[in-house]
């Protein structure tokens, strides 16, 4: 019985680690998309400012 409890606990711990890893990956993707949009916005404004000067 003790081995069964240990096995369940180990399985649950593995599952929680996997979920945490997935959450970290998702958060990194979200942050990357935000930075990408910000970079695109800055590039568009820089291009417009350069066009206005020239």
């Amino acid at each position: 019985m003790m081995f069964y409890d240990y096995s369940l606990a180990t399985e649950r711990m593995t599952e929680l680690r996997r979920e945490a890893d997935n959450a970290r990956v998702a958060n990194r993707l979200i942050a990357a998309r935000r930075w990408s949009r910000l970079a695109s916005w800055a590039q568009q404004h820089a291009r417009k400012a350069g066009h206005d000067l020239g």
Side-chain angles (χ1 to χ4, degrees):
M1 184 70 169
M2 188 172 169
F3 178 75
Y4 181 73
D5 292 341
Y6 177 78
S7 178
L8 286 177
T10 303
E11 184 179 332
R12 180 69 176 142
M13 187 172 57
T14 302
E15 181 182 330
L16 290 173
R17 283 183 179 155
R18 190 177 305 118
E19 288 177 10
D21 289 343
N22 290 343
R24 276 192 290 278
V25 169
N27 286 335
R28 287 178 183 164
L29 286 173
I30 290 167
R33 286 187 193 120
R34 284 185 189 140
W35 281 111
S36 178
R37 284 194 302 264
L38 180 60
S40 295
W41 178 86
Q43 186 178 29
Q44 288 171 355
H45 282 271
R47 191 179 300 127
K48 183 178 183 285
H51 185 274
D52 291 346
L53 290 175

